[in-house]
Amino acid sequence: MGSIVYFVRHGQTDWNAEGRLQGQADTDLNDFGRAQATRNGELLRTLVVQPEAFDFVASPMRRTRETMERLRRAMGLPAEGYRTDERLVEVNFGAWQERTFAELETVDPGCFARREEDKWRFVPPGDGAESYEALTRRIRPFLEGIAGDTVCVTHGGVLRAIFSLTDTLPPEECAALQIPQDRVLRLRDGRLEWLS
């Protein structure tokens, strides 16, 4: 792939700040997250010389769409000039969504330790729940289908999958990777690099 892709994780939400598992729950940015989105857009403005030549794509969730709209405005672009792709939604945490690990431990003692034994392949309980390994199967066609320079706003789990799909890190390291909300991740010539 000869294209340049700039990946941005959505800005902080109150649930991020509380350590609450969001997954596919549709939450909103908080004020700190809105400022992060704007700062990422200001950085992208210095990196993207011809934005009209870029595809802009986001997960359809509210927190990613608001992040995209804020970063586009910071780039000097109209907020609405992007598309969404369902494949970019966050990993599904099933019955664990909307809870913190402290809350989960009260109803299912040891659940956190069981997850840590093989975090990459672990599937939480509940309908539709996914492992990170399953998430990579959903993300692979998106990544392989990128046909030109792109700005993509998505989620932490999706970016962990991208680290695995680009052979940047082994899966077990990808599962534990901290994904910042205040930096831009560039994919160029098959290599990922954090920019700030």
Side-chain angles (χ1 to χ4, degrees):
M1 175 173 50
S3 306
I4 295 175
V5 185
Y6 294 107
F7 292 102
V8 177
R9 183 183 176 194
H10 64 81
Q12 187 188 79
T13 68
D14 286 344
W15 284 19
N16 288 140
E18 295 167 11
R20 196 168 296 283
L21 294 169
Q22 290 174 114
Q24 295 182 3
D26 208 3
T27 57
D28 294 303
L29 300 182
N30 60 25
D31 288 342
F32 188 65
R34 292 182 183 103
Q36 289 175 318
T38 297
R39 281 195 307 275
N40 282 332
E42 290 166 353
L43 174 58
L44 284 168
R45 186 173 190 158
T46 69
L47 298 168
V48 176
V49 179
Q50 293 182 296
E52 66 279 1
F54 274 69
D55 182 24
F56 287 79
V57 59
S59 157
M61 306 194 85
R62 290 197 309 263
R63 60 191 182 268
T64 42
R65 286 187 287 114
E66 183 177 358
T67 297
M68 176 64 88
E69 290 163 13
R70 287 180 175 276
L71 73 80
R72 281 183 58 84
R73 283 195 295 269
M75 292 175 73
L77 301 170
E80 65 278 358
Y82 68 97
R83 63 185 178 89
T84 60
D85 192 313
E86 289 284 343
R87 295 172 294 184
L88 292 171
V89 298
E90 180 61 295
V91 66
N92 189 328
F93 285 114
W96 284 13
Q97 286 177 175
E98 305 182 17
R99 300 192 179 191
T100 66
F101 276 110
E103 291 168 352
L104 288 168
E105 284 289 331
T106 64
V107 295
D108 184 9
C111 66
F112 182 75
R114 288 194 302 277
R115 180 179 187 240
E116 291 301 303
E117 287 172 8
D118 188 357
K119 193 173 178 180
W120 187 251
R121 292 175 186 82
F122 181 85
V123 181
D127 292 342
E130 297 173 290
S131 65
Y132 286 123
E133 183 178 53
L135 177 62
T136 61
R137 292 192 289 273
R138 171 157 52 90
I139 299 304
R140 183 184 299 278
F142 169 80
L143 191 63
E144 291 176 347
I146 292 174
D149 295 342
T150 302
V151 172
C152 176
V153 178
T154 189
H155 305 269
V158 172
L159 293 177
R160 290 181 184 98
I162 297 227
F163 270 89
S164 175
L165 289 166
T166 55
D167 295 322
T168 304
L169 293 170
E172 58 276 7
E173 290 183 34
C174 295
L177 199 58
Q178 294 298 309
I179 305 292
Q181 293 169 299
D182 59 353
R183 297 179 74 186
V184 172
L185 181 65
R186 180 173 60 201
L187 175 61
R188 183 171 60 184
D189 299 325
R191 182 171 169 265
L192 288 169
E193 177 183 10
W194 286 110
L195 308 173
S196 57

